[in-house]
Amino acid sequence: MTTDRKPTSPESRWIWPFELLEQIGEGGMGVVYRARYVVNGREVALKMLPSDVTDETALARFERELEVLKNLKHPNIVRCFGGACENRRRFYAMELVEGGSLEDKLQEKKQFPWEQVIYFALQMCDALTCSHAAGVVHRDIKPGNFLLAHSGQLKLSDFGLASVADSRRITAAGKTAGTFLYMAPEQIRGQEITDKTDLYALGCVLYELITGTPPFIGETPAATLHMHCQNLPVRPSEKALDCPIALERIILQLLEKDPADRPESAQAVMRQLRSVKQSVVVTRPTPEEMNDRARSGSGATRSQAKSPSSGVPLPGPVEPTNSVPRWVAIALAITLACSLSWNIIQVIQRQSGDHGEMLWVQAAHHSDPDVRTVAIESLGEIHQKTGRHLPVLETALEDIDPEVRQQSAHEIGQGGRRARHLIPVLIRVQKNDADSRVRDSANRAVQNLQGTLPEQKPEEKSWIGWAVAVLLTGVTTLGIYHWFKTSSVPRTSPLPFRHA
């Protein structure tokens, strides 16, 4: 169908009670005009079946579309005002949507941000929920059949007969494939058509909106249909880096070959879409940043560790004293300062470590599989030291990316006794996972947890803390010993003392 605007001839300007203003669309099964309703002057879109069409199937489709639209009343479905037949010309009037189609916007923008895709997808699902509840399967979901109002509201159109452009140009191949780009496998094979057929086409549309290309494009229509039935689509995040992993999962589930593996309904898809949020971008802190944090935490402490100034001795006899020698006091002060500094550094590192752990947990749900793999590796190292975050590693066993699953199985296998309760889960992965690398990794993890592989060497304790503790204990003991030794020995002043 073409969308060139053409003036109407004077003799055909009227089809009562409408004045035809201009032609705004044309196809093999009908012509669409901008028309004015003479009763109140309202402009509408008027679809007319050519008078020379006598095919019974075409006439039945036109009548069926009129009945469907009259019974579907929803903000996201084009409203029908009714139709008639005059001078062997069948026609019906419907709501005029002047913002063009989603297909037009897609050709203009090439692709949409993920937030806008979700905004459109929710409206599409709302329209399909209404249609499916009425027992109507659209069968021709595609960008060209979603009309876009100036307010941004989508309107689903063409329930049985194209009213806007029904062909889709593949610029790269110079071919026209039409609705082949959005056709479900069961539709191609001539099997039963259900609501889930529309959901597959919806997945194709969402894939195209966020990546700029349909999921499958062949050199010929036959090649495209074969890809729909046999090929797996490239993951959307590989073409659109900002695509949230949750949205990607929804799209890939809609594109499942078996209708039973797709979401239960358009309403279920709406619930999933409303929960989509973008993950944060996580970067590993550099060694310089960690050193700066440690220095900033210990510098203030060192500046506060200063020995007090000594007083001036008075002449005359000195009573027996139990004061600690100066060198012992200095040594004790230095040891205390080192101990305090060490403790502060440990607190700072523990706090920064907790914050870093939360970032890695968030990164485990990132849209980029490489980021998820690094996050799982880091969380595995943290689990070996602290025993935390094992549930995150278990969840990653169901990731859509095999490298993430493989890394997760490996890290669980290094978890020791804390991870032994996950052996049944690993055995299930070993038997059922589609990727051989994941199965091998799960097998090694099971063997490691069962103790058939050499145990890991226990992590070496930090010797610095022990050294500080021993030094502090030694200096304190030496000071106390010296204090007891000298407290019983009277000391006299070298200067003579004269009574007044």
Side-chain angles (χ1 to χ4, degrees):
M1 175 179 285
T2 61
T3 56
D4 297 335
R5 299 178 181 271
K6 301 177 182 179
T8 59
S9 58
E11 61 274 11
S12 61
R13 281 186 56 191
W14 296 92
I15 180 168
W16 193 257
F18 297 98
E19 179 187 9
L20 307 184
L21 303 178
E22 61 177 336
Q23 179 180 322
I24 57 177
E26 181 178 6
M29 295 300 297
V31 181
V32 181
Y33 293 92
R34 177 195 297 271
R36 183 178 66 86
Y37 184 44
V38 296
V39 176
N40 56 16
R42 178 175 183 173
E43 290 192 354
V44 299
L46 190 139
K47 178 180 286 187
M48 184 185 304
L49 195 63
S51 57
D52 57 352
V53 174
T54 58
D55 181 74
E56 293 296 330
T57 301
L59 295 175
R61 287 187 60 193
F62 190 87
E63 295 292 342
R64 181 184 61 192
E65 181 179 19
L66 174 59
E67 290 301 317
V68 166
L69 284 176
K70 285 171 61 177
N71 295 325
L72 293 179
K73 299 185 185 301
H74 190 274
N76 295 116
I77 296 178
V78 170
R79 182 181 177 187
C80 177
F81 300 116
C85 178
E86 180 179 314
N87 296 329
R88 298 178 57 190
R89 291 186 297 179
R90 287 177 170 82
F91 68 92
Y92 69 83
M94 58 185 175
E95 178 182 6
L96 179 64
V97 185
E98 301 192 80
S101 69
L102 194 55
E103 168 74 12
D104 299 330
K105 292 296 181 182
L106 185 59
Q107 291 184 359
E108 175 186 342
K109 293 181 175 294
K110 306 305 180 185
Q111 65 185 106
F112 293 94
W114 68 269
E115 297 91 344
Q116 194 167 6
V117 172
I118 291 180
Y119 173 71
F120 287 149
L122 288 172
Q123 297 185 68
M124 296 175 184
C125 290
D126 219 1
L128 289 177
T129 298
C130 174
S131 173
H132 294 167
V136 177
V137 180
H138 189 281
R139 305 184 185 215
D140 196 17
I141 298 296
K142 59 183 179 180
N145 283 340
F146 285 101
L147 304 182
L148 189 62
H150 292 303
S151 63
Q153 186 179 39
L154 284 182
K155 303 276 189 177
L156 178 58
S157 65
D158 193 4
F159 285 80
L161 186 66
S163 58
V164 290
D166 70 343
S167 63
R168 177 81 165 88
R169 180 168 297 279
I170 304 174
T171 306
K175 308 282 185 181
T176 300
T179 55
F180 296 148
L181 296 174
Y182 314 96
M183 200 173 282
E186 66 271 18
Q187 194 173 6
I188 295 170
R189 297 188 180 106
Q191 298 172 347
E192 181 183 5
I193 302 300
T194 66
D195 297 350
K196 294 189 176 184
T197 303
D198 283 346
L199 296 186
Y200 181 91
L202 174 65
C204 294
V205 172
L206 299 185
Y207 188 103
E208 184 174 9
L209 292 182
I210 199 164
T211 66
T213 59
F216 304 111
I217 302 179
E219 289 294 326
T220 63
T224 301
L225 297 179
H226 179 79
M227 294 172 71
H228 276 292
C229 295
Q230 301 296 333
N231 293 17
L232 294 177
V234 177
R235 294 174 51 196
S237 60
E238 295 185 18
K239 297 182 179 182
L241 299 181
D242 66 334
C243 177
I245 185 65
L247 178 58
E248 179 178 80
R249 286 175 177 168
I250 294 172
I251 295 175
L252 293 180
Q253 187 181 8
L254 288 169
L255 292 176
E256 287 287 349
K257 308 300 183 187
D258 187 349
D261 294 332
R262 297 172 201 156
E264 286 299 319
S265 63
Q267 193 169 19
V269 178
M270 288 178 66
R271 289 195 296 267
Q272 296 179 47
L273 288 169
R274 290 194 178 101
S275 65
V276 174
K277 296 180 181 178
Q278 180 60 294
S279 303
V280 298
V281 178
V282 179
T283 57
R284 189 192 295 269
T286 64
E288 292 78 7
E289 292 174 339
M290 297 301 295
N291 291 335
D292 289 343
R293 293 178 185 175
R295 285 196 296 269
S296 64
S298 60
T301 304
R302 293 194 183 99
S303 67
Q304 296 171 3
K306 295 182 180 179
S307 60
S309 58
S310 59
V312 179
L314 295 176
V318 179
E319 297 297 328
T321 179
N322 56 358
S323 61
V324 178
R326 182 181 180 86
W327 69 270
V328 176
I330 294 175
L332 185 60
I334 293 175
T335 305
L336 289 173
C338 292
S339 176
L340 184 59
S341 300
W342 172 254
N343 289 326
I344 291 178
I345 292 174
Q346 292 299 307
V347 171
I348 293 175
Q349 290 181 344
R350 188 179 299 111
Q351 291 177 346
S352 62
D354 292 342
H355 178 65
E357 289 180 26
M358 294 307 300
L359 293 179
W360 285 125
V361 171
Q362 294 178 350
H365 303 284
H366 195 271
S367 59
D368 190 335
D370 293 333
V371 175
R372 297 201 301 276
T373 302
V374 173
I376 293 300
E377 179 181 3
S378 299
L379 290 174
E381 296 174 357
I382 293 171
H383 172 70
Q384 294 177 39
K385 298 176 182 178
T386 66
R388 295 194 292 266
H389 307 305
L390 187 59
V392 181
L393 300 178
E394 180 183 0
T395 302
L397 288 174
E398 301 178 357
D399 195 277
I400 61 176
D401 188 88
E403 293 186 3
V404 178
R405 300 198 302 272
Q406 179 184 3
Q407 187 67 43
S408 175
H410 171 76
E411 299 300 337
I412 292 175
Q414 307 301 312
R417 293 182 178 179
R418 301 186 186 99
R420 287 180 64 86
H421 68 282
L422 292 181
I423 290 179
V425 178
L426 292 170
I427 292 176
R428 186 169 64 251
V429 173
Q430 175 187 351
K431 292 180 179 180
N432 300 330
D433 198 278
D435 194 285
S436 60
R437 297 171 300 171
V438 180
R439 296 195 300 271
D440 292 342
S441 181
N443 180 46
R444 288 193 297 270
V446 170
Q447 293 178 354
N448 196 18
L449 293 177
Q450 290 176 338
T452 57
L453 293 182
E455 294 289 340
Q456 284 187 296
K457 295 181 179 180
E459 184 183 358
E460 296 182 358
K461 300 290 185 181
S462 175
W463 60 270
I464 300 179
W466 286 104
V468 172
V470 170
L471 180 60
L472 178 60
T473 303
V475 172
T476 303
T477 303
L478 181 60
I480 294 174
Y481 169 76
H482 193 279
W483 178 76
F484 274 109
K485 184 178 179 181
T486 58
S487 62
S488 59
V489 180
R491 298 179 61 186
T492 57
S493 172
L495 298 179
F497 180 79
R498 181 178 298 175
H499 291 280

